[in-house]
Amino acid sequence: MIRLTLGLVAAAVAISPAVAVVPVYGQCGGRTYSGETVCASGSACIAQNEWYSQCLPGASTTPAPVPTTTRTTTPPPPASTGFVKTSGTKFTLNGAPFTVVGTNSYWVGLNGLSTANMNTAFQDIARTGATAVRTWGFNEVTSQNGNWYQGWTGRTSTVNSGASGLQNFDNVVAAAKANGLRLIVALTNNWADYGGMDVYVNQIVGQGQPHDLFYTNANVKTAYKNYIKTFVGRYVNEPGILAWELANEPRCKGTTGTTSGSCTPATITAWAKEMTAYIKSIDSNHLVGVGDEGFFNQPGAPTYPYQGGDGIDFDANLAISTVDFGTFHSYPEPWGQTNNATAWGVQWIQDHAASQKRIGKPVIIEEFGVTTNQLSTYTSWLNTVISSGLSGDLIWQAGSRLPTGPSADDGYTIYPDDPVYPLLTGHAAALKARG
Ligand SMILES: *[C@@H]1O[C@H](CO)[C@@H](O)[C@H](O)[C@H]1NC(C)=O
């Protein structure tokens, strides 16, 4: 339903209120686009595909045929050897600039996919020009079935090294690499999906104990480190891994909302410091990030993602010496900004780009989504990524139409026949061109 009305809604929203020149890398045309088409001087409007034309610097004002232009400005697929590193606010690979752009697919290693379907999923992503995919490297279970990575009996856990566990993840890595993609792998979840932090707390401390004991209880921390030792240890020499992340969206409260009452941003910053240092002690090849939503800790700020209430201090975490890059997410609808989603997200991106510059490490918007007006909102946000200098972005999330049926749609999923898909394709080329 959303897909059918999207084009009309986007067209209505995109009408420019006043004539203005489109900035370099801004959108200047495309099938549902009705905004300004005159490019800033020194740039020209070049079609990337049917849905998306943009102002590219130094481009000839005579539009070239679409495929030729795209190909000549797109670097070859990244080398599958070497580890992605950082230099100042940029990512590098084998000494050359490396653009982190792509999507999320939490499901590729979790839903019993065949290796052929994994390959199709990554191929669909790679066709946008993506270089990176973020996925889940965990599934904490108390009853073992399907793909699981750590199983619990009482306080004792076992990592699944078999075909439904780590060997399955080996196949995920191989399929990503075969398509020129690198993986950003989160190692647990704040939320109850696929087990996550609460399974550690429930099993070790007791059922229903406060979520935030995950960050402070000595036995829980040891168990989490043991998982890291086995999972991360297996891939120390694997260039198909781009980075490790401590957790998906760590917060003081999880799905059940239980809290000890003493969790503050300093709690999670101390935990992030200890755990990123631990990963570095066993794996010096890979980058390490937190995987958080990028909340700022500015009590009294007008909107909640800036107020620090969920226990995240983005700037403090980015300053940790063993954190290589910063991460943030953008979901204005569940964050109370539904009526101002596009503008709020633009500011949110600019504010994180400012932190990137101030602290001197790359920052990526590694999850973002709205459920309505996707094309126009994403166009604004992706243009802001480019104009703000933010290092990279990963949309939430990729979908594929597999022979076994479409991958799950959570309302944000972009299948290859979605009009957002070509937008992502044009954006990946523009971000690589920006460097
Ligand atoms: C929308 O968000 C922007 C950026 O945060 C803010 O400047 C503006 O005041 C907001 N508008 C409304 C109506 O809340």
Side-chain angles (χ1 to χ4, degrees):
M1 290 305 215
I2 290 167
R3 299 290 173 273
L4 291 175
T5 55
L6 197 61
L8 293 172
V9 174
V13 170
I15 292 166
S16 288
V19 173
V21 168
V22 180
V24 175
Y25 298 117
Q27 184 173 13
C28 52
R31 231 176 91 179
T32 60
Y33 179 79
S34 54
E36 180 54 48
T37 55
V38 178
C39 288
S41 75
S43 67
C45 188
I46 302 296
Q48 300 295 327
N49 53 56
E50 175 191 9
W51 297 92
Y52 189 75
S53 300
Q54 67 179 163
C55 299
L56 290 177
S60 155
T61 49
T62 311
V66 172
T68 314
T69 306
T70 307
R71 299 262 154 68
T72 52
T73 56
T74 304
S80 61
T81 57
F83 298 99
V84 175
K85 302 288 181 189
T86 65
S87 172
T89 60
K90 301 290 186 187
F91 293 98
T92 62
L93 177 61
N94 300 324
F98 180 83
T99 302
V100 175
V101 67
T103 184
N104 286 261
S105 171
Y106 74 83
W107 45 269
V108 69
L110 287 169
N111 290 358
L113 260 59
S114 65
T115 53
N117 280 347
M118 289 177 187
N119 187 62
T120 301
F122 285 122
Q123 198 173 60
D124 284 345
I125 294 168
R127 284 191 177 132
T128 62
T131 63
V133 179
R134 181 166 172 266
T135 195
W136 293 173
F138 59 86
N139 185 16
E140 306 292 334
V141 301
T142 50
S143 128
Q144 301 168 2
N145 52 53
N147 293 125
W148 60 278
Y149 293 104
Q150 186 162 226
W152 293 82
T153 310
R155 295 181 169 196
T156 307
S157 68
T158 311
V159 177
N160 178 6
S161 58
S164 63
L166 295 178
Q167 289 173 30
N168 179 69
F169 204 81
D170 294 347
N171 294 336
V172 173
V173 175
K177 271 167 69 176
N179 288 284
L181 296 164
R182 282 179 164 74
L183 298 175
I184 297 178
V185 182
L187 294 165
T188 189
N189 202 354
N190 189 69
W191 312 110
D193 308 278
Y194 302 98
M197 297 178 182
D198 287 341
V199 173
Y200 285 88
V201 172
N202 289 340
Q203 295 301 124
I204 293 172
V205 193
Q207 194 67 35
Q209 290 295 307
H211 176 78
D212 54 296
L213 295 188
F214 182 81
Y215 307 112
T216 55
N217 180 278
N219 293 333
V220 171
K221 289 199 288 183
T222 299
Y224 175 62
K225 283 180 181 170
N226 284 338
Y227 182 69
I228 288 173
K229 189 192 261 174
T230 305
F231 198 103
V232 170
R234 187 179 181 93
Y235 300 106
V236 169
N237 294 311
E238 174 54 71
I241 304 291
L242 196 162
W244 303 113
E245 288 186 353
L246 297 184
N248 175 54
E249 303 186 338
R251 291 188 184 189
C252 285
K253 292 180 183 173
T255 298
T256 64
T258 60
T259 166
S260 68
S262 58
C263 182
T264 67
T267 310
I268 294 180
T269 297
W271 169 80
K273 197 170 178 180
E274 178 179 349
M275 296 304 169
T276 54
Y278 181 72
I279 294 179
K280 292 285 183 188
S281 77
I282 58 174
D283 179 358
S284 57
N285 286 330
H286 291 109
L287 301 179
V288 181
V290 176
D292 63 297
E293 294 152 285
F295 296 137
F296 291 109
N297 184 21
Q298 300 160 4
T303 65
Y304 126 84
Y306 288 82
Q307 294 164 354
D310 282 311
I312 291 293
D313 183 331
F314 178 76
D315 287 350
N317 294 340
L318 187 57
I320 296 170
S321 64
T322 41
V323 169
D324 294 302
F325 64 102
T327 60
F328 70 104
H329 301 181
S330 183
Y331 292 105
E333 291 162 336
W335 293 352
Q337 306 302 319
T338 302
N339 296 329
N340 195 25
T342 302
W344 186 89
V346 164
Q347 186 66 48
W348 185 238
I349 293 166
Q350 288 170 343
D351 290 340
H352 286 86
S355 289
Q356 169 184 285
K357 192 173 174 193
R358 197 164 54 243
I359 297 166
K361 295 179 186 178
V363 173
I364 60 173
I365 177 169
E366 63 162 19
E367 278 193 30
F368 58 91
V370 288
T371 55
T372 58
N373 302 332
Q374 287 181 324
L375 201 54
S376 60
T377 298
Y378 295 163
T379 298
S380 293
W381 289 0
L382 293 173
N383 286 342
T384 305
V385 167
I386 287 179
S387 63
S388 67
L390 194 81
S391 290
D393 57 87
L394 310 171
I395 195 172
W396 184 272
Q397 66 157 333
S400 282
R401 302 202 184 279
L402 302 169
T404 44
S407 62
D409 186 357
D410 58 0
Y412 297 103
T413 307
I414 306 301
Y415 298 97
D417 51 2
D418 190 302
V420 171
Y421 187 92
L423 171 71
L424 299 176
T425 308
H427 169 70
L431 192 61
K432 288 173 185 174
R434 186 204 68 180

